[in-house]
Amino acid sequence: PVATPRAIPSGAIQPTPVTPVAPATPVTPAGPPARPAPPAPQVAPAPPTPPAAPAPERIQLSNDAPKLEGAPSAVIAAPARFTSGYGYRTSPSTNEIAFHEGIDIAAARGTPVHTPGAGIVTFAGVRGSYGRVVEVDLGENYRVRFGHLNDISVVQGEALKAGDTVGTVGASGRPATGPHLHFEVLKDGKHIDPEAVAGLVLFGG
C-alpha cells in the first residue's frame, strides 16, 4: 500500500528563511600618500652691527691747561725723532718679539723732558729696566711715565704744572741703542697708545 503523507501539524517548527547577503562594496584603494610640505626657507640672521669706533682718549694737556709762562707745549720741545711705536715689536735689547707699552723718542742726551699736563709726581727714582723714571698722576685716572732719563728734576709728591721739567733724556736702565725717552700713558691702570691721545704733543713743539 502507498503511504499517505503526513500533514505537518499546526504550530510545528518552520524552517527560517535565509536572507540573501548583499555583495560587499569594493574598497577603493587609497591614492599615494600626500607629500609633506617643504620646510619654510631659513632666513639668514642680519649681520651684527659693528661697534662704533671708540672716541679718542682725552687728558688734561699742556695745550689747554694752565701752565708756566713760556713753558713748552710738547713732552720734548727740542728737535727729536720718533724711533719706536706702541705695540708688538722686536725688542732691540733682546732681539725677541715683545709688547712695547709706550713709544720711544730719540733726542740728544740732556734734552729737557716736560710733563704734558698738571699733576702729582707719584714716583721718581730708579726702577729696573726703566732706569731713572718719573711717573705723574694727571687726574681722571690718567698717569704718564718717563723712562731712561739721564737725571731727574722732581721728587715724589711734588705738584707740577703743565710744561714743568721732570728730567732729561738719557739711556739709563736696559741697554739702549742710544739716548731716548721711553714715554707711556696709562688709563685706569692700563696702557694706551700715546699717539692716540687727542691733543698730546710729543715733540718738536
Side-chain angles (χ1 to χ4, degrees):
V2 178
T4 302
R6 295 173 60 188
I8 298 173
S10 174
I13 298 174
Q14 300 294 322
T16 303
V18 177
T19 303
V21 179
T25 303
V27 177
T28 303
R35 297 179 61 186
Q42 297 294 323
V43 178
T49 303
E57 297 289 346
R58 192 72 190 170
I59 64 177
Q60 192 76 352
L61 302 171
S62 59
N63 307 49
D64 47 25
K67 59 183 180 180
L68 295 175
E69 186 66 28
S73 60
V75 174
I76 295 179
R81 61 187 176 87
F82 180 86
T83 56
S84 186
Y86 176 85
Y88 285 100
R89 64 165 188 172
T90 301
S91 171
S93 58
T94 65
N95 204 34
E96 297 178 351
I97 300 297
F99 192 86
H100 193 218
E101 296 178 331
I103 61 171
D104 292 342
I105 304 170
R109 187 186 301 271
T111 299
V113 175
H114 311 277
T115 175
I120 303 295
V121 177
T122 56
F123 183 85
V126 177
R127 180 185 288 167
S129 61
Y130 285 103
R132 296 182 182 90
V133 60
V134 171
E135 293 182 1
V136 179
D137 185 345
L138 301 178
E140 301 296 330
N141 296 321
Y142 282 98
R143 280 188 296 142
V144 288
R145 181 177 292 156
F146 311 86
H148 304 325
L149 298 174
N150 190 61
D151 56 58
I152 294 173
S153 306
V154 296
V155 295
Q156 186 169 335
E158 184 174 348
L160 303 178
K161 296 182 177 64
D164 279 355
T165 300
V166 299
T168 61
V169 173
S172 61
R174 178 181 294 170
T177 54
H180 69 277
L181 171 69
H182 174 77
F183 179 67
E184 299 177 3
V185 178
L186 296 92
K187 169 67 172 175
D188 296 320
K190 297 180 181 179
H191 289 87
I192 61 175
D193 186 353
E195 292 190 280
V197 178
L200 178 58
V201 180
L202 296 171
F203 60 89

